[in-house]
Amino acid sequence: MLSGQTNTKQDIPPLKSLYFYLTSYCNLNCLHCWIAPSYIDKDEAPQEAPFEVLKDIIDQAIPLGLKSIKITGGEPFLNKNIFPLISYASSKNLNIIIETNGTLIDEESAKFLKENHLGMVAVSLDGPNKKIHETLRARQGCFEKTVEGIKFLKKYNLNVQVIMAVYKYNSNYLEDTISFAEKLGANSFKINCISAVSRGEALKTKGDTLEVKDYLILNQKIENEIQPRYKIKIILDIPPAFKKIKDIKERTGRCGLKHILGVLANGDISICGIGEVVSALRLGNIRTGTLKHLWKNNPILKILRNGIPQKLEGICSQCIFKGFCMGKCRAEAYYATGNFFSPFSFCDEAYKLGLFPEKNIFAFKKEVLGERLCI
């Protein structure tokens, strides 16, 4: 396991959450996926991430401050070890969140999730009908299976968040998809900007993704027109600098990089799922060392702890919210530039276009806010 010199500081933050990437495979082939897992049919999926390894890392993480786990993939329900993992995490009173495409959720699994007190199940749905959703997910028949999965989850009164990745292709169907999600009983609706990572990078190069100005127009439309028409909570995942204070108080849109680790399907540890596409950000393997040693001593983690947010560059260095959002997504920044401290692309582009909110720039507020700049 990678390690540097022993860190003598006493300010090692708690490891609050583990992100389990249970498999490097998926039964869909989504055009925007930033992890880009290999396609595989359900019955062919190898059982990566053995339960004993998953159990061991939870046991090692609890003394470090573990409070929650997020289970994702690839498609996490391809790995049958998801069920013993959930049971074990539940027995340790950990909050559990799952991200899934929903196609493999049947009534039995929904009942199991209810019995194990899932905090939330996030299900991807990119359109209100078969044509839109399946064009972007690249597999016939997946729309009906996803909708059926959501219905099973709501039958057992689970907290369901529908997640929509917005392209130019489906942006005109946004409100129809929100309406559909509300009718299905979803508790919240999250709109993801497509990250320019892996497949998302190819989409951006082809001009298939929205521009920053489009997202900002959409944000205003949601706040002023769309949200008032619906009971379901609508969340557009853009940086906090562009949000209202009430939304910032809900702690949305920030990066928890100082308190999380990603566990990849082969047991490798990364700062999140970025290790799947950037091998340099694989920090070690749980089978060859202790989590405690890695968490305290890994040189990459030290760089992040000592440099974020203080060494953020560009517009991120000037923003009064840098102590809150931590530069939004440092994995995306590193993927694009090889530099953990480069400005987040969304904010950088907005600033260059003159669209960054002037009231949120450090230089305009230093004398007024003083010490209160740390959010």
Side-chain angles (χ1 to χ4, degrees):
M1 181 174 286
L2 295 177
S3 62
Q5 296 179 348
T6 301
N7 192 335
T8 58
K9 292 185 177 181
Q10 301 300 311
D11 59 351
I12 304 298
L15 174 55
K16 295 181 181 180
S17 186
L18 291 173
Y19 290 5
F20 285 99
Y21 296 82
L22 280 194
T23 177
S24 55
Y25 296 92
C26 190
N27 61 333
L28 303 184
N29 199 19
C30 309
L31 304 184
H32 63 272
C33 186
W34 74 294
I35 298 296
S38 300
Y39 172 78
I40 199 166
D41 287 328
K42 175 185 176 182
D43 296 333
E44 299 173 355
Q47 294 305 296
E48 306 167 276
F51 170 65
E52 289 304 318
V53 172
L54 303 175
K55 177 180 179 293
D56 180 52
I57 196 168
I58 285 178
D59 289 340
Q60 292 189 48
I62 287 174
L64 300 176
L66 187 67
K67 300 297 181 185
S68 69
I69 66 169
K70 181 170 76 172
I71 303 173
T72 182
E75 172 46 50
F77 283 96
L78 286 172
N79 190 330
K80 297 304 180 184
N81 291 315
I82 188 174
F83 297 105
L85 171 62
I86 290 169
S87 291
Y88 191 70
S90 179
S91 75
K92 296 298 182 179
N93 296 314
L94 299 175
N95 184 50
I96 307 167
I97 295 172
I98 295 177
E99 292 180 343
T100 173
N101 61 43
T103 60
L104 302 179
I105 295 175
D106 55 19
E107 181 160 8
E108 182 180 0
S109 58
K111 181 180 179 183
F112 173 87
L113 297 180
K114 178 64 175 180
E115 291 171 347
N116 284 274
H117 314 293
L118 262 288
M120 184 174 74
V121 184
V123 182
S124 299
L125 186 67
D126 293 331
N129 57 51
K130 178 177 180 177
K131 179 181 178 182
I132 302 299
H133 181 76
E134 294 185 5
T135 295
L136 304 179
R137 296 275 156 176
R139 281 294 173 266
Q140 292 185 350
C142 67
F143 177 76
E144 290 182 0
K145 290 181 179 179
T146 294
V147 171
E148 183 179 50
I150 293 172
K151 289 179 178 179
F152 281 130
L153 293 170
K154 292 312 303 179
K155 179 177 179 179
Y156 289 94
N157 200 31
L158 285 153
N159 180 6
V160 174
Q161 180 176 86
V162 166
I163 298 181
M164 180 181 183
V166 180
Y167 303 62
K168 287 183 178 178
Y169 177 75
N170 67 349
S171 60
N172 288 336
Y173 297 89
L174 173 61
E175 192 163 355
D176 288 340
T177 311
I178 293 171
S179 178
F180 184 56
E182 184 168 85
K183 290 176 182 176
L184 288 172
N187 302 82
S188 58
F189 188 95
K190 184 182 178 188
I191 305 159
N192 276 350
C193 305
I194 294 175
S195 296
V197 177
S198 194
R199 294 178 191 165
E201 182 180 22
L203 284 177
K204 184 164 185 172
T205 299
K206 291 192 297 181
D208 291 338
T209 59
L210 299 185
E211 302 293 335
V212 166
K213 62 181 179 180
D214 300 320
Y215 286 120
L216 295 180
I217 292 170
L218 176 59
N219 185 48
Q220 291 297 313
K221 186 175 181 180
I222 290 170
E223 290 180 352
N224 300 325
E225 301 176 31
I226 299 177
Q227 182 64 83
R229 290 199 287 265
Y230 294 92
K231 293 180 180 179
I232 191 172
K233 175 65 177 177
I234 303 169
I235 305 159
L236 176 60
D237 189 25
I238 58 174
F242 302 91
K243 294 187 174 186
K244 292 182 176 180
I245 293 297
K246 67 178 181 64
D247 295 320
I248 295 171
K249 288 181 178 179
E250 293 176 0
R251 317 292 284 182
T252 59
R254 68 185 310 226
C255 180
L257 84 166
K258 290 191 176 183
H259 301 284
I260 66 171
L261 283 176
V263 183
L264 308 186
N266 68 347
D268 280 352
I269 306 296
S270 181
I271 63 172
C272 62
I274 194 64
E276 290 283 5
V277 291
V278 181
S279 59
L281 296 184
R282 295 189 181 218
L283 312 180
N285 191 286
I286 192 59
R287 295 179 178 88
T288 58
T290 68
L291 189 65
K292 180 179 180 180
H293 184 76
L294 182 148
W295 183 246
K296 288 189 173 182
N297 301 304
N298 183 269
I300 291 176
L301 296 180
K302 288 182 181 181
I303 290 171
L304 292 170
R305 289 168 186 160
N306 295 330
I308 305 295
Q310 299 91 333
K311 296 181 181 179
L312 288 171
E313 300 170 0
I315 184 58
C316 290
S317 70
Q318 303 177 58
C319 180
I320 65 171
F321 292 109
K322 67 179 181 180
F324 175 81
C325 85
M326 298 292 181
K328 186 56 172 165
C329 181
R330 295 297 87 203
E332 183 178 324
Y334 188 92
Y335 180 90
T337 67
N339 175 11
F340 281 121
F341 308 121
S342 62
F344 186 57
S345 58
F346 188 104
C347 298
D348 188 49
E349 185 175 343
Y351 181 63
K352 290 175 179 176
L353 292 171
L355 299 175
F356 194 91
E358 191 173 275
K359 61 183 175 61
N360 292 333
I361 298 178
F362 180 91
F364 291 92
K365 289 288 186 177
K366 183 175 181 180
E367 293 183 2
V368 177
L369 296 179
E371 294 300 320
R372 289 177 288 163
L373 285 171
C374 185
I375 303 299

